[in-house]
Amino acid sequence: MAKMADGIPLLSASTQRTLADKLYEKRKNAAREVEAVIRGLVAQQDHDRISSLLSLLVNDFALSPQSNHRKGGLIGLAAATMGLGSEAVQHLEKIIPPVLNSFTDQDSRVRYYACEALYNIAKVTRGDLVLFFNDIFDALCKLSADSEPSVQQAAHLLDRLVKDIVTESDQFSIEEFIPLLRERMNVLNPFVRQFLVGWITVLDSVPDIDMLGFLPDFLDGLFNMLSDSSHEIRQQADSALAEFLQEIKNAPSVDYGKMAEILVQRAASADEFTRLTSFTWLNEFVKLSGEQLVPYYADILGAILPAISDQEEKIRVVAKETNEELRTVKAEPAEGFDIGAVLVIARRELGSDWEATRLEALRWIALLLERHRTEVLSFLDDIFPALLSSLADTSDEVVCLVLEVQACIAGDAQHFHRLMVFLVHKFKIEQTLLEKRGTLALRRLCTLLDAERVYRELANIFEGEADLEFATTMVQALNLILLTAPELAEMRSLLKQSLLNPAGRDLFVSLSASWCHSAIATVSLCLLGQAYQHASAVIQALGESDINVNLLVQVDKLVRLLETPTFAYLRLQLLEPGRYPSLLKTLYGLLMLLPQQSAAFKILRTRLKTVPSQTFMHMQPSLPHTEFPGLSAIRRTASAGGYSQILSHIPTIQTSSTSEDGERSSDNINGPLGINFAAQLKQFEHMQHQHHLYQSQNKAPRRTLTPPPAQNGHHLSRTSDDVSDSVRRTRAASQVRLPKP
């Protein structure tokens, strides 16, 4: 028992017994006596005896193993503080620790009285209590989740008082408090979360406390609370975040970078509300940050692109808006803009399951090519395979945009050749891609890169292609596109001048070598270029082994194409059989190749029947307005078969050194526009010989390329008279049957 120097106890024995009584009222009466004693000592300024009495209350009561003693000690310390008044600050080091220690007592009543004691102490000491704020905050945080409702209520009242004290104090240190707050922000207990959000809101309301500057330290915790199961907690967290966002908009300087990293992570949350809030913040950050976020653009884009296809419409809207804001920022590598990182994100999203995301990834690649072409091309090996794979996309819009990006890459000769080689290789190893997207890809590239340039490059590649079966398939596809696609109308017009125009001649010659892979493609090219003598020679050069189902299918296609607007000029030339005998000879040659039961045979025979039996133009003067020599015999022979007999009835009429409206003689070169058709024929025969050898070694079915339906809105639509009919007839052509023996 603590005694004064003269041997008199600091507290009477009865007071000490009453202070440890189990009844609250008796303990309260004893506490009043303690307060009176302390007041007397304060009046005497006897701080030594005050310290001794406080030690008595702490050691013999507050730290006692008996719960009633501990209760008495707590109320006694509170009473002593009230007795000390303004002098209490000198003794807080002794008073506060045992009270805070009681907050974790096993007895809930002790915890309750600890709250009550600290409440009374705080009322007396006010701002001086801030020196112990971190310890008090830690204790209150634990009590906020106490299992006893009465303790929770007492802690709540104490918490309100402490908040009032802190907001009034000029001694509060936010720098010391933030680490404590950050450690607890990821606690899942709902009561603790409410406690934390409450403190954040209160401190943010204090003008002298800069909570915004420390927002990155606890922002993630606030976003984590948005997915809490409690509606009240979600609402409190959202309200706090909304207030901070408003402050950010008004603040002259904010650290956007650290917060952007947090937002990007939270944008991938499984919780819809968390994602929406994250993108709302990112949207504002992109608008407000200027150059600060440039180094983080790749990460932000990585969050935005998937969200463009989010199931929630509100998120999609905000993500698209943010994406557009990002696109308007013209950032430079010198400012920290990582082009490589952005390309990695775009390439990754090309594999997204969602079309909108894939489209936006492609638009980003296109935008980077436009603004930073040199830097993007340095990463070409990384992105080019992904672009080629995207040609197999199920979306026509994606494929068209892929082709636009590829065309942009192929702006110079080096990358143009590389694109063509890569594209051909991709078609070669992926037959499905060739069948589904081959025609679309080729036509679109012709529109974007100039059809003649594309065809010349591809012709050069296929001329040396080792896989002759693949080369044949591709040449047949290119030939069909050449004859049908509206995009190649100018190229067709140029080829029609092959015998008159140097540019047309050069184009004809550049294509003819690779077109030799397919006999009917070669004939088609000759018909387009009005080289009818050579077309007839090619047909006559066909051997018995060349007449197979595949060739008949190709002939069937050609016959049907002859009825399209593309060959309207050719049909009109049939009105002058005397001027174009080789044309007639070529068409009868095709007729003789077809089975008589086929629809194509009937179509062509019907067309040839319309050739007039009287010649009206370009006849020899000795034969004005008379029947074309041998035409009746030709028709009789055609009905009976016999190709050699038909050819013998068709004369070759030449009135000058040229034949058939400017066609040079096929056995030499006459003048600067001449084409050496004799050499062309030998080249064709050589190529066909190579095919015979190849087929004997590789007896696999040939691949085919079916043109896709018309694509509206992408400049790929075909006229109903042209390619749409061609496609239907192409499919029907596969039903051509060989004549029965």
Side-chain angles (χ1 to χ4, degrees):
M1 180 181 294
K3 298 182 180 180
M4 300 176 62
D6 55 6
I8 301 175
L10 293 172
L11 288 177
S12 64
S14 62
T15 300
Q16 294 186 43
R17 285 195 303 272
T18 306
L19 191 61
D21 196 275
K22 64 179 181 179
L23 296 177
Y24 172 74
E25 289 298 328
K26 290 184 177 182
R27 293 196 302 271
K28 188 175 181 180
N29 291 332
R32 290 194 181 99
E33 295 182 21
V34 171
E35 180 181 354
V37 171
I38 291 291
R39 287 185 186 278
L41 294 175
V42 170
Q44 300 172 17
Q45 289 293 303
D46 192 346
H47 291 287
D48 291 337
R49 283 182 288 178
I50 291 173
S51 180
S52 298
L53 180 54
L54 291 175
S55 296
L56 171 68
L57 292 173
V58 171
N59 296 323
D60 292 359
F61 289 89
L63 300 180
S64 170
Q66 299 180 31
S67 62
N68 287 332
H69 279 68
R70 295 197 297 274
K71 296 173 186 175
L74 290 169
I75 196 171
L77 287 172
T81 304
M82 296 175 70
L84 286 168
S86 60
E87 302 286 335
V89 64
Q90 303 176 37
H91 303 280
L92 286 180
E93 292 286 352
K94 259 186 187 176
I95 297 173
I96 297 298
V99 175
L100 293 178
N101 185 61
S102 299
F103 279 17
T104 58
D105 197 282
Q106 293 182 353
D107 188 335
S108 63
R109 299 307 297 168
V110 173
R111 297 197 300 273
Y112 176 85
Y113 288 122
C115 292
E116 183 183 76
L118 189 57
Y119 184 90
N120 290 320
I121 293 170
K123 286 175 65 177
V124 175
T125 58
R126 300 297 294 183
D128 295 326
L129 192 71
V130 173
L131 297 173
F132 300 90
F133 174 77
N134 283 2
D135 294 330
I136 295 173
F137 179 85
D138 182 52
L140 286 173
C141 186
K142 295 174 182 176
L143 285 181
S144 65
D146 198 279
S147 58
E148 179 59 41
S150 62
V151 176
Q152 278 192 11
Q153 176 131 14
H156 178 66
L157 291 173
L158 174 61
D159 179 57
R160 289 174 58 183
L161 176 61
V162 174
K163 285 175 181 174
D164 291 340
I165 293 172
V166 169
T167 56
E168 298 170 357
S169 174
D170 57 359
Q171 301 180 49
F172 177 73
S173 174
I174 185 66
E175 292 81 4
E176 295 179 5
F177 168 68
I178 288 298
L180 195 67
L181 176 64
R182 183 175 57 241
E183 290 174 5
R184 288 157 177 76
M185 285 304 293
N186 290 321
V187 174
L188 299 180
N189 187 283
F191 298 106
V192 175
R193 284 185 163 184
Q194 283 184 305
F195 172 80
L196 295 174
V197 174
W199 269 101
I200 291 172
T201 303
V202 166
L203 293 177
D204 186 50
S205 67
V206 181
D208 295 334
I209 298 177
D210 181 22
M211 286 293 282
L212 186 60
F214 295 94
L215 182 56
D217 292 285
F218 55 87
L219 181 64
D220 185 66
L222 281 176
F223 269 90
N224 194 30
M225 294 180 191
L226 292 176
S227 59
D228 195 278
S229 58
S230 169
H231 174 73
E232 186 176 357
I233 294 175
R234 291 198 305 271
Q235 193 172 36
Q236 290 178 351
D238 181 49
S239 178
L241 286 169
E243 183 63 31
F244 278 118
L245 184 58
Q246 187 60 43
E247 292 178 24
I248 290 172
K249 293 178 182 179
N250 300 328
S253 177
V254 178
D255 184 1
Y256 291 99
K258 290 183 179 179
M259 289 188 285
E261 293 178 350
I262 296 170
L263 295 174
V264 166
Q265 294 176 359
R266 286 298 167 185
S269 170
D271 179 67
E272 178 184 304
F273 186 55
T274 303
R275 294 200 307 275
L276 177 59
T277 308
S278 299
F279 285 115
T280 301
W281 276 60
L282 283 173
N283 186 30
E284 294 296 337
F285 276 23
V286 173
K287 294 177 182 177
L288 298 169
S289 67
E291 298 179 355
Q292 280 195 45
L293 282 183
V294 169
Y296 302 93
Y297 274 9
D299 294 333
I300 295 174
L301 187 64
I304 290 173
L305 289 181
I308 288 175
S309 303
D310 198 279
Q311 295 181 351
E312 174 56 40
E313 183 180 1
K314 293 180 180 179
I315 295 177
R316 293 198 302 270
V317 170
V318 178
K320 289 177 182 177
E321 182 180 341
T322 309
N323 182 63
E324 291 304 316
E325 290 289 340
L326 275 179
R327 289 171 62 86
T328 60
V329 180
K330 296 183 178 180
E332 298 295 332
E335 301 171 353
F337 183 52
D338 192 342
I339 295 174
V342 174
L343 286 173
V344 167
I345 296 297
R347 182 185 62 187
R348 182 191 72 192
E349 296 306 325
L350 285 178
S352 169
D353 294 334
W354 304 101
E355 178 183 353
T357 296
R358 300 195 298 273
L359 285 171
E360 209 52 53
L362 287 167
R363 293 189 183 104
W364 267 98
I365 296 175
L367 181 67
L368 292 177
L369 274 169
E370 178 185 340
R371 295 179 180 174
H372 309 284
R373 179 178 178 83
T374 303
E375 291 84 352
V376 172
L377 291 180
S378 66
F379 296 97
L380 191 57
D381 289 339
D382 297 327
I383 63 174
F384 211 75
L387 289 173
L388 288 174
S389 297
S390 294
L391 288 174
D393 199 282
T394 56
S395 166
D396 290 346
E397 189 175 357
V398 170
V399 173
C400 289
L401 193 51
V402 168
L403 294 168
E404 288 183 18
V405 172
Q406 291 176 338
C408 185
I409 293 173
D412 53 73
Q414 174 190 356
H415 293 106
F416 175 77
H417 175 73
R418 188 178 186 184
L419 169 62
M420 294 297 106
V421 171
F422 269 82
L423 187 62
V424 169
H425 178 70
K426 194 70 174 178
F427 285 155
K428 186 175 181 178
I429 62 176
E430 294 188 26
Q431 183 178 352
T432 303
L433 175 62
L434 174 62
E435 294 173 352
K436 293 183 177 179
R437 293 300 186 192
T439 301
L440 174 62
L442 293 170
R443 291 180 61 183
R444 191 63 179 155
L445 287 176
C446 285
T447 301
L448 297 169
L449 292 173
D450 180 64
E452 183 176 345
R453 185 185 181 196
V454 171
Y455 264 69
R456 285 179 181 271
E457 186 67 33
L458 290 174
N460 184 56
I461 293 173
F462 291 125
E463 183 178 355
E465 174 59 47
D467 187 344
L468 299 185
E469 180 188 350
F470 171 68
T472 300
T473 301
M474 288 303 301
V475 166
Q476 290 172 354
L478 289 170
N479 183 67
L480 183 60
I481 295 171
L482 174 62
L483 298 178
T484 60
E487 300 90 340
L488 277 72
E490 292 185 9
M491 189 171 165
R492 289 196 294 272
S493 297
L494 184 59
L495 283 170
K496 290 176 184 178
Q497 302 296 318
S498 297
L499 304 180
L500 302 174
N501 186 301
R505 178 204 61 191
D506 291 343
L507 178 57
F508 182 94
V509 172
S510 68
L511 298 182
S512 60
S514 58
W515 256 237
C516 288
H517 283 293
S518 171
I520 303 306
T522 302
V523 172
S524 301
L525 183 64
C526 292
L527 293 177
L528 194 59
Q530 302 189 57
Y532 301 137
Q533 285 187 357
H534 187 54
S536 177
V538 168
I539 293 175
Q540 293 182 72
L542 294 175
E544 180 180 346
S545 60
D546 296 317
I547 313 300
N548 51 41
V549 174
N550 183 67
L551 181 132
L552 294 177
V553 170
Q554 295 302 314
V555 174
D556 188 285
K557 292 180 182 180
L558 176 57
V559 168
R560 297 175 188 277
L561 288 172
L562 291 176
E563 298 299 317
T564 65
T566 299
F567 287 103
Y569 70 94
L570 182 148
R571 299 195 298 274
L572 291 174
Q573 288 173 353
L574 290 176
L575 294 173
E576 305 176 81
R579 187 176 178 183
Y580 302 99
S582 292
L583 171 58
L584 201 59
K585 190 174 182 179
T586 299
L587 296 181
Y588 270 104
L590 293 174
L591 183 67
M592 293 302 103
L593 293 176
L594 289 167
Q596 294 185 31
Q597 298 92 336
S598 67
F601 178 88
K602 297 175 182 178
I603 292 171
L604 184 54
R605 183 176 64 177
T606 301
R607 174 62 63 185
L608 289 173
K609 284 182 179 180
T610 63
V611 176
S613 59
Q614 300 290 327
T615 59
F616 301 97
M617 300 176 61
H618 298 282
M619 296 301 299
Q620 296 180 9
S622 59
L623 298 171
H625 303 287
T626 59
E627 183 176 345
F628 180 73
L631 187 56
S632 299
I634 292 172
R635 289 177 173 152
R636 290 194 300 272
T637 309
S639 299
Y643 179 47
S644 60
Q645 295 177 14
I646 290 175
L647 298 183
S648 66
H649 286 291
I650 302 178
T652 301
I653 301 174
Q654 293 183 348
T655 59
S656 66
S657 60
T658 64
S659 66
E660 303 189 15
D661 199 21
E663 182 180 341
R664 298 287 179 177
S665 177
S666 63
D667 57 352
N668 53 42
I669 300 176
N670 298 320
L673 299 183
I675 299 176
N676 191 338
F677 286 112
Q680 295 267 327
L681 184 60
K682 289 182 180 179
Q683 186 179 39
F684 171 78
E685 292 174 341
H686 174 73
M687 182 62 73
Q688 291 302 304
H689 177 67
Q690 295 298 317
H691 275 268
H692 294 158
L693 295 176
Y694 182 86
Q695 290 172 8
S696 64
Q697 298 171 2
N698 305 276
K699 295 184 178 180
R702 292 199 172 193
R703 289 168 285 198
T704 59
L705 182 64
T706 303
Q711 305 298 323
N712 295 325
H714 301 290
H715 308 289
L716 298 181
S717 59
R718 302 178 178 180
T719 62
S720 59
D721 291 335
D722 192 351
V723 181
S724 297
D725 287 343
S726 173
V727 173
R728 291 194 298 269
R729 290 164 180 168
T730 296
R731 294 171 179 167
S734 62
Q735 300 177 3
V736 172
R737 295 172 295 177
L738 292 174
K740 296 181 180 180

